[in-house]
Amino acid sequence: MERSDDEGYESERQGSSDEEATNSRMDHGETGSHVAGVLNAAEDAAETIRAKARRDADEILRDAKADAAARVEELTREAARVRLEADDYARDIRAAVDSYGTQARREAEEQARKLLADAEEQARATREAAQEMGVQIEADARRRHESLVREARSLEERRQRVLDGLRDLAAQLQDALVEPTSRDVDESLADALDIERRR
């Protein structure tokens, strides 16, 4: 956006140079409105960039929270399914070993308890992994949001520098509109060169 403003300004300046070649007297009446137009365009561009950065950050954060919640829910359902399967398996084992006597029944129940404990451990680990993943996704989204905020701040600072430069240019143009004495011309030329050297 700023590039097109610069190109427009260059085009206007070229057109102004052509007019100077054809007219011996230059009309400075529109200079201020051109500078104001450039300043307004720069402010509009910065506001557009800032608004887009905010919208992108909010959207990323919403998506990350939705993804984290969906993933946690999916992993919780998987853990419940594993527990149900383990319970079913344990019941089947107990029913099958009833006919083999007390010893066989005790062994089968022990195995069922172990399977159930393993399933609960797996469900717990899956749930913890899902929660960690959700925390990680939120942290990533927060980092992305902070990065976008920093970028927006950097763009705001850049916009301010551009505005300050344009204000300096406007002041210099206003000074140039005043009929200078020969001494003023020498001093303003020296000041302008000094400004350029400081940049």
Side-chain angles (χ1 to χ4, degrees):
M1 188 74 173
E2 291 176 6
R3 184 174 178 80
S4 79
D5 289 340
D6 292 343
E7 288 172 359
Y9 178 69
E10 287 300 322
S11 170
E12 288 172 12
R13 214 169 60 153
Q14 181 62 37
S16 177
S17 296
D18 292 343
E19 287 175 14
E20 285 177 15
T22 58
N23 299 329
S24 60
R25 184 169 174 223
M26 185 172 150
D27 182 13
H28 296 290
E30 295 183 8
T31 303
S33 65
H34 286 301
V35 171
V38 170
L39 287 172
N40 288 336
E43 287 177 356
D44 289 346
E47 184 57 34
T48 300
I49 291 168
R50 223 178 8 256
K52 184 177 184 318
R54 284 192 199 104
R55 283 195 306 274
D56 290 348
D58 290 343
E59 185 177 340
I60 288 169
L61 197 56
R62 276 195 309 273
D63 290 347
K65 285 183 178 177
D67 289 347
R71 186 68 178 142
V72 166
E73 185 178 340
E74 178 186 338
L75 292 172
T76 302
R77 279 197 308 268
E78 178 65 19
R81 187 187 63 78
V82 169
R83 181 177 289 125
L84 285 173
E85 287 179 0
D87 288 343
D88 290 344
Y89 181 71
R91 277 193 301 275
D92 290 345
I93 293 292
R94 279 194 298 272
V97 298
D98 276 343
S99 60
Y100 293 102
T102 304
Q103 182 62 33
R105 184 178 293 116
R106 276 197 302 263
E107 290 175 2
E109 288 174 351
E110 183 62 32
Q111 185 179 5
R113 278 194 297 272
K114 184 177 184 307
L115 285 170
L116 188 58
D118 290 346
E120 287 175 350
E121 178 62 27
Q122 183 180 357
R124 185 192 59 77
T126 303
R127 198 166 42 249
E128 287 177 359
Q131 289 170 347
E132 287 175 11
M133 187 177 297
V135 168
Q136 182 64 38
I137 289 170
E138 286 187 14
D140 290 345
R142 207 168 22 254
R143 279 194 296 274
R144 175 69 177 145
H145 176 71
E146 289 167 0
S147 170
L148 287 170
V149 168
R150 281 195 302 273
E151 185 178 341
R153 192 175 298 128
S154 171
L155 288 170
E156 177 64 24
E157 290 170 0
R158 181 176 171 202
R159 180 189 73 87
Q160 190 59 47
R161 285 195 302 271
V162 168
L163 287 174
D164 291 344
L166 288 173
R167 286 191 185 105
D168 288 346
L169 178 61
Q172 290 173 18
L173 287 173
Q174 283 183 337
D175 291 345
L177 293 176
V178 177
E179 287 294 330
T181 64
S182 61
R183 180 176 176 192
D184 290 339
V185 170
D186 292 341
E187 287 177 358
S188 65
L189 181 58
D191 290 343
L193 290 173
D194 187 44
I195 288 170
E196 289 300 321
R197 277 196 298 272
R198 275 183 280 147
R199 291 178 187 207

